Amino acid sequence: AQTVTQSQPEMSVQEAETVTLSCTYDTSENNYYLFWYKQPPSRQMILVIRQEAYKQQNATENRFSVNFQKAAKSFSLKISDSQLGDTAMYFCAFMKPYSGNTPLVFGKGTRLSVIA
Amino acid sequence: EPEVTQTPSHQVTQMGQEVILRCVPISNHLYFYWYRQILGQKVEFLVSFYNNEISEKSEIFDDQFSVERPDGSNFTLKIRSTKLEDSAMYFCASSEAGRDTQYFGPGTRLTVL
């Protein structure tokens, strides 16, 4: 079974600074998908970024980017120019090869606080 | 932008009672999911649903749980006889055919007393 590990339960960053959240996973699959979801205090889960394992290029979405290291099974999230609105719980999630409605496997999350 | 919606936002019930949590997936999505998040813990998969059938379920999804798509828009999760340990946030999600990204609703907080 796949597992996702987020080793940083809590992190903080000064506004406008850069922060990196770590995620590692364990799988025997070769093709899979990785996601970062954000859960602000409102509790809604919001997709931040996704990465396809067969693509070597790291995904980017505005201030959010990932460092995907397939051999190391590592998928970290970098947030640049942190904003107060980035304060949230961040979950890393894994999806085995897509077959229609494949479930997500989540890590335990990292609580990020952006400080003014 | 289309969103997944869930009702109610908060449900309080007595142990042993039945509850139905409701979700309206994004209209052109065909795949539906329920996840659960016990307070302070990670989000866990419960069940996936496609073409009026359960596609996959986790070991959490035992006989007290059931899902249904009663009409063309709603997707429901029923818990027949609630237990204290069912207290959690329940998230509905949906995805398009051929697309891996799942979109989540705002969740229903279930409190079992």
Side-chain angles (χ1 to χ4, degrees):
Chain A
Q2 290 83 11
T3 58
V4 177
T5 302
Q6 293 180 250
S7 59
Q8 306 149 314
E10 293 188 23
M11 294 190 72
S12 62
V13 63
Q14 292 287 334
E15 196 175 8
E17 297 295 308
T18 295
V19 64
T20 299
L21 310 183
S22 301
C23 172
T24 58
Y25 56 93
D26 186 26
T27 184
S28 58
E29 303 284 355
N30 189 45
N31 292 322
Y32 47 86
Y33 301 84
L34 295 162
F35 304 84
W36 279 98
Y37 280 88
K38 168 185 176 180
Q39 187 182 41
S42 66
R43 311 273 312 173
Q44 177 134 20
M45 298 275 286
I46 302 165
L47 177 68
V48 175
I49 200 165
R50 65 183 281 279
Q51 174 80 40
E52 299 165 12
Y54 57 87
K55 288 188 176 179
Q56 293 186 340
Q57 186 173 4
N58 289 323
T60 63
E61 285 288 344
N62 300 314
R63 297 183 294 108
F64 299 87
S65 62
V66 298
N67 183 5
F68 173 51
Q69 301 287 330
K70 190 172 183 180
K73 297 180 182 175
S74 170
F75 182 61
S76 60
L77 175 70
K78 186 170 84 170
I79 306 174
S80 304
D81 186 26
S82 297
Q83 301 176 0
L84 295 178
D86 296 333
T87 293
M89 197 76 172
Y90 286 82
F91 291 98
C92 179
F94 172 95
M95 178 186 285
K96 63 185 181 183
Y98 178 69
S99 62
N101 52 350
T102 312
L104 291 163
V105 177
F106 286 87
K108 290 188 175 181
T110 295
R111 184 175 304 280
L112 176 67
S113 299
V114 180
I115 302 165
Chain B
E1 186 173 334
E3 292 181 337
V4 177
T5 60
Q6 291 184 243
T7 54
S9 57
H10 191 191
Q11 173 99 40
V12 180
T13 189
Q14 294 290 326
M15 189 170 55
Q17 294 297 304
E18 174 184 287
V19 295
I20 297 176
L21 310 183
R22 291 182 167 81
C23 169
V24 178
I26 295 173
S27 62
N28 64 330
H29 287 188
L30 298 180
Y31 301 115
F32 315 118
Y33 315 80
W34 284 102
Y35 291 84
R36 180 181 81 176
Q37 184 184 30
I38 295 173
L39 186 64
Q41 299 187 22
K42 65 180 177 180
V43 178
E44 299 174 292
F45 168 71
L46 290 177
V47 65
S48 58
F49 191 87
Y50 169 69
N51 199 25
N52 285 319
E53 290 185 349
I54 289 175
S55 305
E56 189 170 342
K57 60 183 181 179
S58 71
E59 61 273 13
I60 303 170
F61 194 87
D62 61 22
D63 291 345
Q64 70 164 338
F65 291 94
S66 62
V67 289
E68 189 179 26
R69 187 152 165 84
D71 53 43
S73 59
N74 288 282
F75 177 52
T76 62
L77 174 69
K78 181 192 291 186
I79 310 175
R80 289 190 182 81
S81 178
T82 50
K83 305 171 187 172
L84 294 176
E85 55 263 38
D86 293 328
S87 294
M89 195 77 165
Y90 289 81
F91 291 101
C92 173
S94 68
S95 62
E96 286 184 78
R99 299 294 192 101
D100 50 86
T101 299
Q102 297 177 20
Y103 296 88
F104 283 75
T108 292
R109 178 177 298 283
L110 176 65
T111 302
V112 182
L113 303 176

